[in-house]
Amino acid sequence: MSGVLLKSIARRSGGLDHLIYVLRANPVTMFAFAMFALIILAAVFGPSLVPYDPLATNAANALQSPSLAHWFGTDSVGRDVFSRVIVATRLDLSISVAAVALSFVIGSVLGSVAGYWGGWLDAVLNRVLDTIMAFPLFVLAMGIVAALGNTIENIIYATAIINVPFYARLVRAEVNIRRNAGFAQAAKLSGNSDVRVLAMHIFPNALPPMMVQVSLNLGWAILNAAGLSFIGLGVRPPTAEWGIMVAEGANFIVSGEWWLAVFPGLTLMIAVFTFNLLGDGLRDIFDPRQRT
Amino acid sequence: MLNVKDLAVSFQTRRGAVDAVRGISFELEKGEILGIVGESGSGKSVTSFALMRILDVGGMIKAGEAVYSGIDLRRATEKTMRDIRGREISMIFQNPRAALNPIRKVGHQIEDVLRRHAKATRQNARDKAIEALEAVKIRDAAARYDAYPFELSGGMCQRIVIAIALACDPRLLIADEPTTGLDITTQKAVMDLVIELIRARQMSSILITHDLGLASQYCDRIMVMKDGGIVEQGDPLGLFSNPQHSYTRKLVDATPRAGESIRSLLPPEDRKPELPHEIGDDALLDVRGLTKTYQGKSGPVHAVKGISFTVKRGQSVGLVGESGCGKSTTAEMLVRLMDASSGQILFDGEDIAAMPARAFAKNSRRGDIQMVFQDATDSLNPRHTARQTIAEPLQRLGHLRGQQLAVRIEELAGLVGLPYSLLERFPHQLSGGQKARVGIARAIALEPKFLILDEPTAALDVSIQAVVLNLLMDLRAKLGMSYLFVSHDLHVVRLLCDHVVVMKAGEIVEQGPALQVMSDPQDPYTKELLSAAPKPPARRIVA
């Protein structure tokens, strides 16, 4: 028994070695992962670390420019911009992660089924996806949120729906080329039913390109959520959220209070940038062929 | 004409520089056909790429000289090289389909090279291209001019590639595995054509191949390469009858020849006595009137037209035929991955054709009928280690867990000669022969009664093929399995099989005891197959 255990540990540490190798081999990936870790930390511990209550107003201290006391300055009702930017991380990240997870799961199932069995199912699904993609996606998301109601859940659903076609198409193509591969046939000979062959043998091989899609999508999803909030859909004031903060701050740029919009905007940009850089690294980690 | 001296090529990789060719020297006379023989990774293709200066990214000529008719191929400018390629030195590639542009008419692709080297003008390009097609004996050349590569067979595509290579009358032709992947009769036709054209135009040629038999039949001189170096060179007859280097001897031994036994493919020190296998009297598998008809776009396609044959318990049957003859379709139906259109497959008396293929995964007979796939790489899940791959049937059908599973996996690894340390590796970390062993271990994991071998050695080097064939023979004796060996190569089938079934266009044209079919073929098609195979000279037995 201990032999088996030892081997499974060896296998796991092989994965860890591989992770370290990927990070070492590519400084950009290393940087992206460091930034990603920072964003996660901000999302998890941010609310308990920030110096000020993000919702506490203080009219006497309104529109202060950045200083030692208020690193990113204060807004029109005297709230600390730095605290609000940090606290908003959790909300923005949860929206994008939830939306991406949802579209990943739905897209994977639809794409796998269409790619494996083909036929009329495939034809119908493709036309439905074409229809979704024919809309300007942001406008579609706006419409969905406006129709379903102005809640965080609905932002997540809207963001998920507009991203499903990308996942479904990618998975469909990856599954389709492996449908008759030798290893899929061999899996059937080993007593696997069609569903098991698809789920346990073919689908995992689609993961590396999926990871690139996931990381790009996380960035898009954050932008999308912030965009919806910016135009007044979705998250409502006074909740701290990057899109709302940029929207509110935009009114003050003309009068010289630039920090209101610039800092949340910069944070948003850095977050999206990080996710975009993450893609290649994630793919290398999920692809066993990169382990040499 | 061509003078290569101390040529060394190296590639930059993730783990430092790798030397692919380590200082080789050779000369090529005018009108001579030189064969470069070696197994995968020996540097034979890299040598030819270096001469044409078309090495992959990261590859460079590190040292040495290559002089062609006074031109220094190593230092010539890219512009000079572009003029040389196609007009002075031409190349035929391994995979003709990949070498042709899939979305351009073949005639236009021939015109390209003619126009590039100013051998034709816009006015007469079409005529010249058709002439080139006629030169490679393509019937109805004017009509073929407008064909796209996908409309042509593999042999036809290779003729087009040859036409392109010869269009500008080069002085030197490099053929890199020109017939790999082609059927044996097509191989003969293509090789005969190439040699005829080379002789007629008094060109020089370098034929690169892994097949010693092929090289000895068509070349004036053979050079054997291993690990980037030349181990031996000489005339074909001498090389075969009296190989000097141990590696050449191993290669010569491993090349299947008429009248040799399966053990004689191995080096003498590895030749253990053959284990006998017993053939029962009752039929294990009885195929009756099996047919498969597809609904194609232009009417029904009859892939298999009602074939009947029997496999006795413990017997090994060879199913031989060329691509498209329906042998793979038959194998897929027998292994129950595909439903038959009609007919019976009686396995131990039970008609398993009556059960739909998709439900067969759950059948109690699933473990009794297994298969070793043609392409070992393709048949292993790239995300599974060797251990996971072998474990799959044991877990799913054998219901083994934990310690029992681990023990059985190691037992199987031992049986197929796979070192335990390789069990944790992924397929891309294994060599071709090791992957074949993993595939065989998986197939025999449940001790099947009937094992279908679908060209299990087609993608392997001859020395690895020799080892795998011997392994299969030992396993048969140890486990008492019946084999159906599907192959295009009668000489390989003969080594392992008691009975041979020859298929052509979905029908059985001849069947009988292997020795009888080989020595006294009745059907003209069987005769053609036998005569098309390259015949390496027999090795003189040195006492």
Side-chain angles (χ1 to χ4, degrees), chain B residues 337-409:
Chain B
L337 282 173
M338 186 193 283
D339 283 317
S341 300
S342 69
Q344 288 179 307
I345 303 169
L346 297 176
F347 185 79
D348 258 347
E350 188 190 348
D351 183 13
I352 56 170
M355 210 172 311
R358 59 190 306 172
F360 200 74
K362 299 264 178 267
N363 193 277
S364 57
R365 295 218 177 265
R366 177 68 285 171
D368 286 339
I369 307 173
Q370 289 289 318
M371 180 157 167
V372 177
F373 290 85
Q374 178 168 11
D375 184 346
T377 310
D378 179 58
S379 76
L380 301 181
N381 190 332
R383 297 185 70 85
H384 285 186
T385 60
R387 176 184 294 279
Q388 287 171 302
T389 299
I390 302 173
E392 183 82 9
L394 294 170
Q395 289 170 320
R396 301 294 307 156
L397 292 169
H399 303 292
L400 293 184
R401 293 283 178 276
Q403 185 65 34
Q404 272 181 310
L405 179 66
V407 168
R408 178 67 180 145
I409 290 172

Side-chain angles (χ1 to χ4, degrees), chain A:
Chain A
M1 210 54 214
S2 66
V4 179
L5 256 177
L6 271 177
K7 263 165 207 142
S8 77
I9 289 168
R11 201 179 308 152
R12 226 169 288 148
S13 73
L16 192 65
D17 285 350
H18 179 60
L19 178 70
I20 293 167
Y21 170 79
V22 168
L23 292 185
R24 274 218 185 125
N26 192 342
V28 175
T29 305
M30 177 82 112
F31 172 74
F33 271 79
M35 291 297 297
F36 183 57
L38 206 67
I39 292 173
I40 298 283
L41 284 179
V44 175
F45 299 110
S48 47
L49 290 180
V50 290
Y52 300 92
D53 179 349
L55 298 180
T57 56
N58 180 0
N61 210 11
L63 296 175
Q64 297 290 311
S65 58
S67 63
L68 273 182
H70 298 280
W71 292 355
F72 292 177
T74 61
D75 67 6
S76 57
V77 287
R79 294 173 297 199
D80 179 44
V81 175
F82 176 71
S83 300
R84 286 173 65 77
V85 164
I86 297 296
V87 169
T89 312
R90 184 183 286 183
L91 180 62
D92 278 293
L93 201 63
S94 343
I95 291 176
S96 73
V97 168
V100 167
L102 209 59
S103 39
F104 180 89
V105 172
I106 298 173
S108 298
V109 171
L110 291 179
S112 297
V113 168
Y116 191 74
W117 280 284
W120 63 268
L121 218 101
D122 188 25
V124 170
L125 185 79
N126 269 319
R127 294 298 84 75
V128 171
L129 295 180
D130 285 347
T131 314
I132 294 180
M133 290 182 94
F135 284 99
L137 293 182
F138 188 73
V139 176
L140 181 64
M142 274 167 57
I144 295 171
V145 177
L148 293 181
N150 230 352
T151 64
I152 291 177
E153 290 86 69
N154 288 340
I155 297 186
I156 294 175
Y157 295 144
T159 312
I161 289 172
I162 62 172
N163 283 327
V164 160
F166 297 99
Y167 290 94
R169 290 206 158 165
L170 186 63
V171 174
R172 181 189 169 280
E174 294 286 329
V175 167
N176 198 268
I177 53 172
R178 294 186 174 86
R179 177 164 67 166
N180 287 322
F183 69 83
Q185 304 268 45
K188 287 183 200 163
L189 295 189
S190 299
N192 292 287
S193 60
D194 277 339
V195 174
R196 261 193 78 94
V197 171
L198 177 57
M200 309 300 288
H201 289 266
I202 299 179
F203 176 69
N205 279 289
L207 280 177
M210 291 284 276
M211 285 303 127
V212 178
Q213 186 71 27
V214 162
S215 77
L216 289 177
N217 243 218
L218 281 170
W220 292 351
I222 288 189
L223 270 184
N224 195 62
L228 287 173
S229 307
F230 182 87
I231 58 171
L233 286 165
V235 186
R236 269 179 268 198
T239 318
E241 199 277 338
W242 294 334
I244 300 177
M245 293 172 74
V246 175
E248 290 179 345
N251 301 326
F252 293 89
I253 285 185
V254 277
S255 52
E257 286 92 10
W258 52 270
W259 57 89
L260 265 67
V262 165
F263 287 111
L266 265 180
T267 319
L268 184 60
M269 196 194 86
I270 289 171
V272 175
F273 187 57
T274 301
F275 288 125
N276 288 356
L277 289 183
L278 218 53
D280 286 353
L282 274 179
R283 182 199 54 209
D284 291 350
I285 288 165
F286 272 82
D287 191 349
R289 269 168 299 186
Q290 302 285 334
R291 288 182 212 180
T292 40

Side-chain angles (χ1 to χ4, degrees), chain B residues 11 16 51 57 132 159 201 207 216 281 293 303 327 361 380 403 419 427 434 452 461 478 480 528:
Chain B
F11 284 87
L51 294 179
V57 180
R159 280 168 200 260
R201 299 173 185 215
L207 172 68
S216 67
D281 287 330
T293 309
K327 61 184 194 302
L380 301 181
Q403 185 65 34
Q434 288 162 350
I452 296 179
D461 282 326
K478 282 180 197 155
E528 193 189 338

Side-chain angles (χ1 to χ4, degrees), chain B residues 227-340:
Chain B
D227 298 335
I230 298 172
V231 297
E232 190 168 350
Q233 50 181 315
D235 67 293
L237 205 65
L239 211 61
F240 261 94
S241 55
N242 192 15
Q244 296 302 312
H245 194 275
S246 62
Y247 179 73
T248 318
R249 217 170 295 145
K250 192 173 145 195
L251 266 188
V252 170
D253 280 340
T255 306
R257 274 149 297 155
E260 301 265 355
S261 77
I262 191 165
R263 283 292 193 229
S264 65
L265 297 180
L266 293 174
E269 60 273 20
D270 295 342
R271 291 177 197 164
K272 297 187 206 97
E274 285 185 30
L275 303 170
H277 66 287
E278 285 172 21
I279 303 173
D281 287 330
D282 58 327
L284 175 71
L285 185 86
D286 195 1
V287 180
R288 291 181 189 168
L290 196 63
T291 66
K292 179 71 194 179
T293 309
Y294 297 101
Q295 282 310 320
K297 283 206 175 86
S298 51
V301 179
H302 302 282
V304 177
K305 305 171 187 168
I307 58 166
S308 304
F309 63 93
T310 307
V311 180
K312 291 187 186 137
R313 206 173 292 279
Q315 192 184 34
S316 295
V317 174
L319 186 59
V320 185
E322 301 196 307
S323 50
C325 75
K327 61 184 194 302
S328 292
T329 309
T330 307
E332 275 192 48
M333 285 191 284
L334 294 183
V335 82
R336 303 305 297 122
L337 282 173
M338 186 193 283
D339 283 317

